[in-house]
Amino acid sequence: MQHRPLKQLCGALAAAAVLLALVACDGKTGPAGANGTNGTNGTNGTNGTNGTNATPVVNVTKLTPEAWAALKPVGQITSVTMGAAPVVSFKLTDAGGTPIVGLGAATTKSTVPDRNGNLATLPGYPNLAFAIAKLVPEDATTKAPSKWVSYIVTSVPVIKASTGAAIPAGPTTPTTDNTGTLVDNGDGTYKYTFYRDITKTQAALDAATYTAPAAKADLGDVTYAPSLVHRIALQFSGAARGTGSNTPDGVTVTPSVNLENPINVIYDFVPATGAVLAAGADNRDVVSINNCNECHDKLAFHGGGRVEVRYCAVCHTDQRKFGYAEAATTATGYDPVAGQRKINGGAVGDLTAMAHRIHMGSELTKDGYNYANVKFEKLGYSMLDGGQRMCSKCHDGVAQAQNWNLKPSRLACGTCHDQVDFATGANHMPGTLVPQANDAACTICHDSATIKTYHLTANVTPHNPTVAAGLKNFTYEIKSAAVSGTTATVVFRIKADGTPVTFAAAAAGLTAPLAGFTGSPSFLMAYAQDQDGIVAPADYNNLGRANGQPLTVSIANLLDTNKALTSGTMSATADADGYYTATILNAFPATATLRSVALQGYFTQVSPAAARHAISVVKAVTGDTARRTVIDSAKCANCHEWFEGHGGNRVYQVQVCVTCHVPGLTTSGRGISDTALETYRAAGLFTAKDTANLAAWGITIPNPVVAGSNFALAFPQTTNNFKDMIHGIHAGADRTSPIRIVRDRTPGAIAIINGANVGFPGILSNCQSCHTPTGYNLPTTGKLLSSREIADNGAILTTADAKASLGTVSATDKMITPFTAACVTCHDSAPAKAHMVTNGGQILVNRSALNAAGESCATCHGAGSAFDPVVLHK
């Protein structure tokens, strides 16, 4: 090795000598030699192996909180292995099918006490939860209905934060499991092993020490029964990693940013065979979340992560009474201070009991309910009158939808009909006391057909497709409406059970136009006229009529020959298709625009006796612009089935509602005379709810109401313009100052509405719960009328003055400009009002000072703008 440099030098000298021998010092260069032979090509190298294509994934650990919130996950439980601790294999993807990975990080809240003051000793997965329950079938002897029984009725070990004492696992009400072991396979598939050994749950309960009222019996038999139907529920929800308490140590460092579209995945199977339950098999599928969401938009509980009623069912079982004594009773119901978790031996939180009482609401007989601060009898169900009868509204479209009439029970029936005491028989069977120790005898008296009959409502609606035998069902139609001068000609027909009716011949003093019925439907003549500087308004105002109410002409009036010169007439016979022609005098002012004719009201059948409500209809006069449609009546029907106003006179069709609920309509309670008020009071017509509502406003009806006291001036007054009134009512208790309505319907009624008692069942910010998709964009500026909030003629000293002021248009009326009125009836806080006023809105200004054109709302809130309400309110 040490001689290599010497050898390299010798080689270089030899090469130089050869070169010098070939080149003369001063001679010419010789000719170029011949090209040498090309060398042989080298062998090609071996091709490399192709790389593996990358699989796209959604890694939740790398998502921004905003991206997490917007994620739309899809989940599937692919298999379950039952053993000591169940093992659940599942898959999560986004809406496009991309796998969701990265859920393996657990949180230990070892430094943050929970709501019970305890510290966790086990790590948990903050975005996942699992439940498992068995379905105990109907008892063949007692006919006790099938029920879910949760196995997850033991706690996990914790430490008492205040003392540091260890609290071992013990019995508890049904809960979920998320402290087991999770394996993230990195491809959107996961395997979760429960922390709890469900085969030992009963043994754990047997070994526990109980003190009254924490009785083991309340948790039922939780022995593992592999031959029964089982349900596993998976919940994927919660805060983005690093927000809220979803941090390694559970310490909140930033506000929670929650998944906006959580999912619950349901897996029904039989462990003994491993077979997934076949579609339609009995898994007590009695309610669909789709039915719930017709009213609730997107029903979600417990932090927003529980969104599937089949999931609710496995936790809201009869086991929820564990640890609680029987509710204390009072003369009229229950002691609300004590709170109730157990009534008549059953769990108040059982899904059947809880849902029935919630929806029965103010129709419950007893009072004092208080389940987790939910006061059942204070709730108002939004369905049409008698809607609680309509069991199919909820129990529809699922495999066991007919259980409500096929399998009656004391639980299901008694939680609506809470006046019945099955233990004694009181209020059950008229004239006798027959205790009912179980459900075996229910179907003796209450067979399916009978139950359905009991729960019929008077009129045909989507969830009440049949009515009592012999009742007629009416439909209305306006074929056309035309105007000549001020006279309207209306071509219409009414059908009874699909056949056009034949009206009675015109006669003097006629009041009943249809044989076998009393009462009469009526025409409403709605229109617009220029007002407050607005030319050709986009709303009806019926200007010139008292309180903006349209002319009303009944069919009976048109057939009463005594009124032919004042009301009008009707054709003596119908045409071949059953259409009559009504000629209505003085229907509209000569300068009116936006003219429309509505047909509303109803007949009352004599035998069998019943009001026959029918859907109202409306038709624009030929050649006139039809009023814009901003509300979808079918959406109102989602909650209200048929919306019925004014005793069933106006039904379903919102375009009829707006013919009367115009910008100039103001509540009329202040116009009730002392005499009328005293007569109403003395007759005992103020209900307990009326009295409570008035008391909440600081108003007590005196006994007696003294003539000359003008007591009704103490009643509140507000606009009943449709958009303002409906926004105010639906915003309910969420408003800063809930709407207060008192309307004069004496001598028959005084309508009192306290918005503080109204809880909107859906998502209040979701305007499309009611509106058409673009029905809440700001309409064309300069066409909307301001709303009259207070009718004030400038000289109101008496109730007579207040009543008179309703019929006038005064410079001192208190007004709200149109865009502001639409918003302030929901957003009524002081800062919100200040924002509106700063941007040109006017609130409670004199009519003489109105400047609707000064509203600049559309600059920021117009269609396509930065704060477009259609975008903000989705």
Side-chain angles (χ1 to χ4, degrees), residues 518-602:
T518 60
S520 171
S522 300
F523 295 103
L524 301 175
M525 321 303 290
Y527 60 89
Q529 289 202 100
D530 299 351
Q531 185 178 11
D532 299 328
I534 303 299
V535 177
D539 294 321
Y540 305 121
N541 60 355
N542 306 317
L543 187 64
R545 297 195 56 81
N547 216 5
Q549 296 306 281
L551 173 69
T552 302
V553 179
S554 70
I555 292 172
N557 287 346
L558 296 173
L559 292 173
D560 181 355
T561 55
N562 292 337
K563 298 178 180 178
L565 299 179
T566 56
S567 296
T569 59
M570 204 167 81
S571 59
T573 59
D575 67 13
D577 294 318
Y579 289 98
Y580 284 87
T581 300
T583 302
I584 301 173
L585 303 177
N586 303 311
F588 303 104
T591 57
T593 59
L594 208 71
R595 295 168 295 183
S596 295
V597 180
L599 180 56
Q600 51 92 55
Y602 59 88

Side-chain angles (χ1 to χ4, degrees), residues 161-251:
S162 59
T163 64
I167 303 175
T172 185
T173 52
T175 185
T176 56
D177 191 300
N178 77 335
T179 54
T181 302
L182 181 69
V183 176
D184 181 352
N185 295 320
D187 59 357
T189 66
Y190 295 84
K191 183 176 289 187
Y192 178 76
T193 303
F194 275 67
Y195 169 78
R196 293 163 176 88
D197 180 346
I198 67 168
T199 66
K200 297 180 179 178
T201 303
Q202 187 62 57
L205 298 184
D206 291 341
T209 301
Y210 298 85
T211 57
K216 180 181 68 173
D218 286 345
L219 292 174
D221 180 2
V222 293
T223 304
Y224 176 52
S227 62
L228 298 182
V229 172
H230 281 57
R231 172 172 293 170
I232 285 184
L234 179 161
Q235 174 183 336
F236 177 41
S237 63
R241 191 69 176 169
T243 73
S245 60
N246 189 358
T247 56
D249 58 3
V251 175

Side-chain angles (χ1 to χ4, degrees), residues 295 382-384 635-644 730:
C295 278
S382 60
M383 292 284 282
L384 59 85
K635 291 182 177 179
C636 301
N638 282 339
C639 279
H640 297 287
E641 186 73 6
W642 274 7
F643 178 78
E644 293 192 354
H730 286 109

Side-chain angles (χ1 to χ4, degrees), residues 330-334 356-357 360-369 376-378 388 413-421 426-427:
T330 67
T332 56
Y334 303 98
H356 282 190
R357 288 189 176 111
M360 194 66 175
S362 59
E363 298 299 313
L364 288 163
T365 301
K366 295 181 178 179
D367 62 17
Y369 288 105
F376 300 132
E377 81 281 4
K378 304 297 184 185
Q388 285 89 348
C413 301
T415 44
C416 277
H417 303 284
D418 66 334
Q419 76 278 15
V420 177
D421 185 339
N427 302 316

Side-chain angles (χ1 to χ4, degrees), residues 171-521:
T172 185
T173 52
T175 185
T176 56
D177 191 300
N178 77 335
T179 54
T181 302
L182 181 69
V183 176
D184 181 352
N185 295 320
D187 59 357
T189 66
Y190 295 84
K191 183 176 289 187
Y192 178 76
T193 303
F194 275 67
Y195 169 78
R196 293 163 176 88
D197 180 346
I198 67 168
T199 66
K200 297 180 179 178
T201 303
Q202 187 62 57
L205 298 184
D206 291 341
T209 301
Y210 298 85
T211 57
K216 180 181 68 173
D218 286 345
L219 292 174
D221 180 2
V222 293
T223 304
Y224 176 52
S227 62
L228 298 182
V229 172
H230 281 57
R231 172 172 293 170
I232 285 184
L234 179 161
Q235 174 183 336
F236 177 41
S237 63
R241 191 69 176 169
T243 73
S245 60
N246 189 358
T247 56
D249 58 3
V251 175
T252 298
V253 292
T254 62
S256 292
V257 178
N258 289 329
L259 189 65
E260 293 178 357
N261 299 283
I263 58 171
N264 300 156
V265 183
I266 306 299
Y267 188 83
D268 290 345
F269 69 112
V270 177
T273 63
V276 176
L277 212 62
D282 191 351
N283 59 348
R284 194 171 171 77
D285 199 1
V286 297
V287 173
S288 168
I289 192 64
N290 295 329
N291 296 344
C292 302
N293 286 341
E294 286 184 354
C295 278
H296 296 286
D297 286 335
K298 188 176 181 180
L299 197 62
F301 291 105
H302 305 289
R306 315 278 171 85
V307 295
E308 169 58 68
V309 69
R310 293 177 296 166
Y311 183 18
C312 302
V314 298
C315 281
H316 279 276
T317 68
D318 191 52
Q319 298 160 297
R320 299 214 73 80
K321 64 191 178 186
F322 174 75
Y324 294 92
E326 182 75 19
T329 59
T330 67
T332 56
Y334 303 98
D335 177 3
V337 177
Q340 302 101 31
R341 299 299 173 92
K342 185 191 293 188
I343 289 178
N344 298 327
V348 184
D350 176 88
L351 186 60
T352 298
M354 180 177 67
H356 282 190
R357 288 189 176 111
I358 285 172
H359 291 91
M360 194 66 175
S362 59
E363 298 299 313
L364 288 163
T365 301
K366 295 181 178 179
D367 62 17
Y369 288 105
N370 186 349
Y371 176 66
N373 207 35
V374 177
K375 301 173 182 179
F376 300 132
E377 81 281 4
K378 304 297 184 185
L379 303 176
Y381 187 41
S382 60
M383 292 284 282
L384 59 85
D385 185 38
Q388 285 89 348
R389 295 172 175 266
M390 207 172 296
C391 302
S392 59
K393 171 64 179 174
C394 299
H395 299 290
D396 187 26
V398 288
Q400 285 80 51
Q402 299 303 311
N403 273 18
W404 68 271
N405 62 77
L406 293 173
K407 299 182 178 183
S409 69
R410 294 167 301 157
L411 171 64
C413 301
T415 44
C416 277
H417 303 284
D418 66 334
Q419 76 278 15
V420 177
D421 185 339
F422 291 104
T424 65
N427 302 316
H428 184 208
M429 300 177 69
T432 185
L433 294 177
V434 180
Q436 301 294 321
N438 55 45
D439 302 314
C442 293
T443 55
I444 295 174
C445 297
H446 306 290
D447 59 48
S448 174
T450 304
I451 292 172
K452 288 181 177 180
T453 300
Y454 286 159
H455 288 83
L456 292 176
T457 56
N459 298 290
V460 168
T461 67
H463 291 96
N464 190 76
T466 59
V467 294
L471 290 177
K472 295 290 185 180
N473 300 300
F474 290 93
T475 54
Y476 301 164
E477 179 187 353
I478 297 176
K479 183 178 183 181
S480 65
V483 175
S484 178
T486 61
T487 299
T489 302
V490 183
V491 179
F492 76 101
R493 71 179 174 186
I494 294 178
K495 291 182 177 181
D497 291 339
T499 301
V501 303
T502 299
F503 291 114
L510 184 144
T511 59
L514 189 62
F517 298 84
T518 60
S520 171

Side-chain angles (χ1 to χ4, degrees), residues 680 685 744-751:
Y680 192 83
L685 297 179
D744 181 8
R745 290 291 179 264
T746 56
I750 296 175

Side-chain angles (χ1 to χ4, degrees), residues 467-773:
V467 294
L471 290 177
K472 295 290 185 180
N473 300 300
F474 290 93
T475 54
Y476 301 164
E477 179 187 353
I478 297 176
K479 183 178 183 181
S480 65
V483 175
S484 178
T486 61
T487 299
T489 302
V490 183
V491 179
F492 76 101
R493 71 179 174 186
I494 294 178
K495 291 182 177 181
D497 291 339
T499 301
V501 303
T502 299
F503 291 114
L510 184 144
T511 59
L514 189 62
F517 298 84
T518 60
S520 171
S522 300
F523 295 103
L524 301 175
M525 321 303 290
Y527 60 89
Q529 289 202 100
D530 299 351
Q531 185 178 11
D532 299 328
I534 303 299
V535 177
D539 294 321
Y540 305 121
N541 60 355
N542 306 317
L543 187 64
R545 297 195 56 81
N547 216 5
Q549 296 306 281
L551 173 69
T552 302
V553 179
S554 70
I555 292 172
N557 287 346
L558 296 173
L559 292 173
D560 181 355
T561 55
N562 292 337
K563 298 178 180 178
L565 299 179
T566 56
S567 296
T569 59
M570 204 167 81
S571 59
T573 59
D575 67 13
D577 294 318
Y579 289 98
Y580 284 87
T581 300
T583 302
I584 301 173
L585 303 177
N586 303 311
F588 303 104
T591 57
T593 59
L594 208 71
R595 295 168 295 183
S596 295
V597 180
L599 180 56
Q600 51 92 55
Y602 59 88
F603 297 108
T604 298
Q605 192 162 336
V606 175
S607 180
R612 309 309 304 132
H613 300 169
I615 292 177
S616 308
V617 294
V618 65
K619 188 79 171 180
V621 167
T622 300
D624 279 22
T625 300
R627 188 195 186 278
R628 70 193 189 284
T629 299
V630 299
I631 298 295
D632 184 341
S633 297
K635 291 182 177 179
C636 301
N638 282 339
C639 279
H640 297 287
E641 186 73 6
W642 274 7
F643 178 78
E644 293 192 354
H646 307 285
N649 279 292
R650 285 107 201 197
V651 176
Y652 187 84
Q653 180 53 261
V654 175
Q655 289 301 94
V656 173
C657 299
V658 296
T659 63
C660 293
H661 286 276
V662 298
L665 177 62
T666 305
T667 55
S668 52
R670 288 181 177 177
I672 303 172
S673 70
D674 293 323
T675 300
L677 192 58
E678 170 57 18
T679 300
Y680 192 83
R681 183 209 63 79
L685 297 179
F686 281 109
T687 66
K689 183 182 291 185
D690 291 338
T691 302
N693 284 333
L694 292 172
W697 302 340
I699 299 172
T700 301
I701 303 298
N703 179 11
V705 179
V706 178
S709 65
N710 295 298
F711 186 83
L713 292 180
F715 290 151
Q717 190 170 66
T718 188
T719 176
N720 267 184
N721 184 27
F722 193 73
K723 75 174 190 296
D724 311 336
M725 179 185 70
I726 294 302
H727 284 183
I729 289 174
H730 286 109
D734 290 308
R735 287 200 355 169
T736 300
S737 299
I739 195 169
R740 299 176 177 182
I741 294 176
V742 179
R743 300 183 66 193
D744 181 8
R745 290 291 179 264
T746 56
I750 296 175
I752 299 173
I753 299 174
N754 182 3
N757 294 333
V758 178
F760 187 61
I763 300 171
L764 189 58
S765 61
N766 180 17
C767 298
Q768 288 197 39
S769 293
C770 304
H771 281 277
T772 60

